[in-house]
Amino acid sequence: MNETAQMHTLEGFVAAGVILMMVMLISENTMIITPQCELGMDVQLQQTAIDVLNVLDIAPDCALQFNLNLTEHVAGYNLSEPIPQNNSLKPLDTEISNLLGDILYNVDFVYVGNGTITNDTIANGTITNDHVIMHGAPIENSMSASRFITLYNETGGTWNISSNNVQVVEVRLIIWQI
């Protein structure tokens, strides 16, 4: 009987066992991540919304068209105009459109009552959600980002804020892609 053939067979079994053990060791100690394309797109979309609000908040330092920051846009909002897409927010709509490109969006202003907060009490405790810029109905996978803006009497606009009160407005940017 040929002993070298038996030795090669044993070497083959040992090599197969070593390879099998290495595969098991590697597969047990590593994470296998399946592609989550939709989740990745959602995260990217939400980060885009956050970035747009951040850029608008520091607009005078940037090369934006109207040289207004987000606070000045919100202060310029005319509370008496009942319809979305009103003339007082056309500059904000243009800036967001330039920053987002093909992405669809809506903007809401959320504030409490007539906006006066005095000595830690809220006057007229109703929450108002104004849909100020509308470009359609958001779809199921829309994302939103918000930024809080504090308006003072010195800010101006039509908010009618007395000298010792502040107005806090949440600016919500809802974005989606089709």
Side-chain angles (χ1 to χ4, degrees):
M1 203 161 137
N2 189 354
E3 291 184 14
T4 58
Q6 289 178 349
M7 194 62 150
H8 289 298
T9 305
L10 287 175
E11 287 176 358
F13 282 130
V14 170
V18 168
I19 291 173
L20 184 61
M21 289 180 59
M22 290 301 295
V23 168
M24 288 177 49
L25 179 71
I26 290 172
S27 66
E28 288 180 10
N29 291 328
T30 59
M31 289 179 29
I32 299 173
I33 300 174
T34 58
Q36 300 288 327
C37 295
E38 186 175 335
L39 292 176
M41 288 174 33
D42 288 348
V43 169
Q44 185 177 13
L45 200 59
Q46 185 171 27
Q47 188 60 47
T48 300
I50 292 169
D51 290 345
V52 165
L53 289 177
N54 286 338
V55 167
L56 288 173
D57 203 23
I58 58 170
D61 298 333
C62 299
L64 294 177
Q65 184 177 358
F66 294 99
N67 289 327
L68 297 172
N69 66 16
L70 192 57
T71 303
E72 293 165 332
H73 284 295
V74 173
Y77 173 56
N78 188 351
L79 293 168
S80 63
E81 292 184 26
I83 58 171
Q85 246 28 41
N86 59 39
N87 290 329
S88 65
L89 292 176
K90 286 289 185 191
L92 178 62
D93 189 20
T94 302
E95 296 291 358
I96 293 173
S97 178
N98 289 342
L99 290 170
L100 288 176
D102 295 340
I103 300 173
L104 298 172
Y105 62 94
N106 291 339
V107 177
D108 294 348
F109 289 169
V110 181
Y111 53 93
V112 176
N114 60 2
T116 57
I117 300 175
T118 310
N119 299 330
D120 297 328
T121 61
I122 300 172
N124 192 8
T126 60
I127 296 176
T128 304
N129 185 2
D130 288 344
H131 305 290
V132 296
I133 298 174
M134 299 289 292
H135 290 287
I139 59 175
E140 183 179 314
N141 63 347
S142 64
M143 299 304 291
S144 68
S146 62
R147 188 127 181 135
F148 289 95
I149 302 296
T150 304
L151 302 175
Y152 302 95
N153 187 23
E154 299 84 29
T155 313
T158 61
W159 290 89
N160 296 325
I161 304 168
S162 65
S163 60
N164 60 348
N165 293 340
V166 295
Q167 168 68 39
V168 178
V169 180
E170 178 186 6
V171 178
R172 287 185 190 158
L173 177 62
I174 301 107
I175 65 175
W176 67 95
Q177 282 184 315
I178 295 179

